[in-house]
């Protein structure tokens, strides 16, 4: 394994994500994601609000990493995406966290927003497995990944929980500063399916569990039903049953709270996109589900009302980071 060498070189001219900043993180420079060279973690704990075969009843072993390359203006986890909640963690400690999550009963190891720390996470997975960690490893990503990054995960990552946010490039540019999102995410998704295979399941401690393959999540945004329909159509036509879709209505306007609290970025974004202060109307979500049904999309995940509450956003309070999960 060359993960150690890979780690050093990727940090000296970072191109770990499609932003391709080429900054020297090892020398203290920061790119778009704002991440330093060393791992930062905000929370590591059992999490119960993923799709049923991911959370089960016992919970998903979820590790929330700090910082994010995409930095969507409406981000539901902005406290960690902006890096305000993240504590330094060694590779050895991350491997120990994975083992502790297994002991706590987790169905899997669920790495949330891992892209910018990928070499260290792969190193930790290798170490944890050598120490007896046998859970499936899931890569929970915005979908904005390079093909090279996905290929590098082969052998370390069993499955993907990946977003597919936009077909509409104007929306992608406005909300995520990534007009190329659709093309980039599509190429990455093809690499995920190629390397992780089709969704597969087992029974783990009496619960159905996803053990590998790709779940593609799409969050319906306020006033963006046409974009969502285009996403569903594209994914259905391109991938069919090779991925499992998860259509989500849990958009939570945390941006409105951030603006009220005086965060300048949130205030500016809301002035430009006031629709982001709203939740998604039930009838728009129903229209999206009807559209998926009409296309013949089979066996997708969907959400019941009430998911758009801040109580579903966990506390990024360093639970499980320094001490046992
Ligand atoms: S991981 Fe961060 S520093 Fe590296 S290319 Fe992406 S945004 Fe830039």
């Amino acid at each position: 394994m060359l993960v150690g060498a890979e780690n050093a070189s990727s940090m000296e001219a970072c191109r770990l994500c499609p932003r391709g900043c080429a900054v020297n993180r090892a020398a203290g420079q920061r790119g778009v994601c704002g991440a330093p060279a060393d791992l930062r973690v905000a929370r590591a704990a059992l999490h119960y609000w993923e799709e049923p075969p991911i959370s089960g009843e016992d919970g998903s072993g979820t590790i929330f990493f700090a910082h994010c390359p995409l930095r969507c203006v409406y981000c539901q986890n902005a406290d960690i995406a902006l890096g305000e909640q993240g504590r330094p963690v060694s590779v050895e400690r991350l491997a120990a966290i994975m083992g502790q999550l297994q002991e706590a009963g987790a169905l899997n190891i669920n790495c949330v927003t891992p892209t910018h720390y990928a070499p260290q996470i792969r190193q930790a997975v290798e170490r944890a497995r050598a120490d007896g960690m046998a859970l499936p490893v899931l890569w929970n990503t915005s979908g904005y990944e390079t093909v090279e990054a996905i290929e590098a995960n082969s052998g370390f990552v069993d499955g993907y929980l990946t977003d597919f946010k936009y077909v509409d490039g104007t929306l992608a540019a406005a909300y995520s500063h990534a007009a190329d999102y659709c093309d980039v995410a599509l190429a990455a998704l093809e690499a995920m399916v190629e390397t992780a295979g089709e969704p597969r399941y087992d029974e783990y401690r009496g619960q159905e569990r996803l053990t590998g393959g790709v779940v593609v999540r799409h969050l319906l945004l306020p006033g963006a039903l046409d974009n969502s329909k285009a996403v569903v159509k594209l994914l259905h036509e391109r991938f069919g049953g090779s991925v499992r879709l998860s259509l989500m209505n849990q958009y939570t306007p945390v941006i409105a709270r951030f603006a009220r609290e005086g965060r300048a970025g949130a205030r500016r974004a809301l002035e430009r996109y006031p629709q982001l202060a709203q939740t998604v109307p039930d009838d728009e979500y129903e229209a999206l589900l009807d559209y998926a049904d009409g296309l013949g999309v089979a066996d997708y995940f969907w959400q019941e009302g009430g998911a758009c509450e801040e109580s579903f956003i966990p506390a990024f309070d360093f639970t499980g980071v320094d001490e046992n999960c």
Side-chain angles (χ1 to χ4, degrees), residues 112-125:
V112 180
T113 323
T115 311
H116 44 294
Y117 300 119
Q120 298 101 311
I121 296 171
R122 288 192 286 267
Q123 216 170 353
V125 168

Side-chain angles (χ1 to χ4, degrees), residues 173-207:
Y175 289 168
S176 300
H177 319 290
D180 60 354
Y181 180 92
C182 182
D183 288 343
V184 168
L186 202 54
L189 184 51
E190 282 174 349
M192 292 176 199
V193 173
E194 179 75 25
T195 56
E198 298 202 354
R200 50 199 180 274
Y201 307 85
D202 69 0
E203 188 177 308
Y204 183 69
R205 298 150 58 112
Q207 302 150 93

Side-chain angles (χ1 to χ4, degrees), residues 51 54 109-111 114-115 122 136-143 145-163 188-200 210-217 243-244 301:
E51 290 82 354
I54 296 162
I109 298 299
N110 181 353
C111 301
T115 311
R122 288 192 286 267
V137 174
L138 305 178
W139 203 253
N140 191 331
T141 167
S142 69
E145 299 267 9
T146 66
V147 170
E148 294 75 16
I150 300 306
E151 289 174 347
N153 280 343
S154 191
F156 297 92
V157 170
D158 300 288
Y160 288 88
L161 311 177
T162 183
D163 294 344
L189 184 51
E190 282 174 349
M192 292 176 199
V193 173
E194 179 75 25
T195 56
E198 298 202 354
R200 50 199 180 274
L210 182 88
T211 58
V214 185
V215 172
V216 186
R217 292 168 163 170
V243 302
R244 193 157 178 198
F301 297 110

Side-chain angles (χ1 to χ4, degrees), residues 254-272:
V254 287
I255 188 173
R257 174 168 62 81
F258 290 149
R260 281 196 305 276
E261 290 172 357
R263 297 196 193 198
R267 226 176 26 231
R268 279 196 302 273
L270 265 192
E271 282 168 10
R272 295 183 72 182

Side-chain angles (χ1 to χ4, degrees), residues 230-249:
V231 167
V232 171
K233 186 169 190 292
L234 174 68
L235 296 178
H236 180 60
E237 289 177 352
R238 186 70 75 98
F239 297 100
S242 299
V243 302
R244 193 157 178 198
L245 287 191
S246 180
L247 301 178
M248 308 170 81
N249 71 342

Side-chain angles (χ1 to χ4, degrees), residues 6 35 38 69 75 98 125-126 183 193 216 237 279 299 311 321:
E6 176 203 19
D38 57 331
C75 181
M98 292 175 181
V125 168
E126 185 180 44
D183 288 343
V193 173
V216 186
E237 289 177 352
T279 56
D299 208 19
S311 58
V321 176

Side-chain angles (χ1 to χ4, degrees), residues 14-17 19-23 25 31-33 69 116:
C14 184
R15 290 190 177 82
L16 288 175
C17 86
R19 299 288 191 199
C21 308
V23 295
R25 289 168 57 184
V32 173
C33 64
H116 44 294

